[in-house]
């Protein structure tokens, strides 16, 4: 087994419960970790034998572009797409962070982290 990580995927998105967040948007960071079997790829040196991180990045960017009120909801969409589109992934750990959230204080970011296993 092995782990593939994509760290600090940056997006500008329009998530949030406030009307202003839908209009002005905000910066987000996504950290993604997937567990998969890397044994075949270690020997074959072929992209077809691993999880393509370009594909993972595309899923994250596409789902981050779809507005959600809650970070939990956008994270769930990303998880669902990865499990649907990439059969070899057995576990996903995702963290979605809103940078400089509008919560009335000096807070660098808020993060929702979810771990999910293929059933």
């Amino acid at each position: 087994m092995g782990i593939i990580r994509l760290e600090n995927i940056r997006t500008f998105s329009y998530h949030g419960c406030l009307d202003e967040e839908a209009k002005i948007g905000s910066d987000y960071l996504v950290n993604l970790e997937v567990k998969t079997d890397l044994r075949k790829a270690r020997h074959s040196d072929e992209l077809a034998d691993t999880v393509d991180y370009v594909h993972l990045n595309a899923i994250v960017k596409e789902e981050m572009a779809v507005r959600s009120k809650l970070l939990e909801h956008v994270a769930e969409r990303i998880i669902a797409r990865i499990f649907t589109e990439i059969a070899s992934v057995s576990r996903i750990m995702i963290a979605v962070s809103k940078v400089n959230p509008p919560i009335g204080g000096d807070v660098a970011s808020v993060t929702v982290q979810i771990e999910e296993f293929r059933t």
Side-chain angles (χ1 to χ4, degrees), residues 5-72:
R5 283 188 193 98
L6 281 73
E7 298 179 1
N8 293 325
I9 302 168
R10 293 172 194 85
T11 70
F12 189 85
S13 303
Y14 296 87
H15 307 302
C17 294
L18 303 175
D19 290 337
E20 298 81 38
E21 293 173 298
K23 295 174 186 168
I24 63 172
S26 185
D27 291 311
Y28 291 81
L29 293 173
V30 178
N31 287 288
L32 179 65
E33 177 179 297
V34 298
K35 185 174 183 181
T36 189
D37 188 343
L38 297 177
R39 288 174 290 192
K40 189 173 181 182
R42 289 175 5 211
H43 299 287
S44 73
D45 197 28
E46 295 295 331
L47 181 60
D49 294 331
T50 190
V51 174
D52 185 352
Y53 48 80
V54 172
H55 187 185
L56 292 171
N57 187 56
I59 290 171
V60 169
K61 289 189 162 206
E62 289 167 14
E63 293 303 326
M64 288 298 290
V66 177
R67 177 167 161 67
S68 290
K69 289 185 258 178
L70 301 177
L71 299 180
E72 295 88 337

Side-chain angles (χ1 to χ4, degrees), residues 65-85:
V66 177
R67 177 167 161 67
S68 290
K69 289 185 258 178
L70 301 177
L71 299 180
E72 295 88 337
H73 189 257
V74 70
E76 177 58 28
R77 287 199 322 266
I78 294 167
I79 291 167
R81 279 214 33 212
I82 292 170
F83 280 145
T84 298
E85 296 179 22

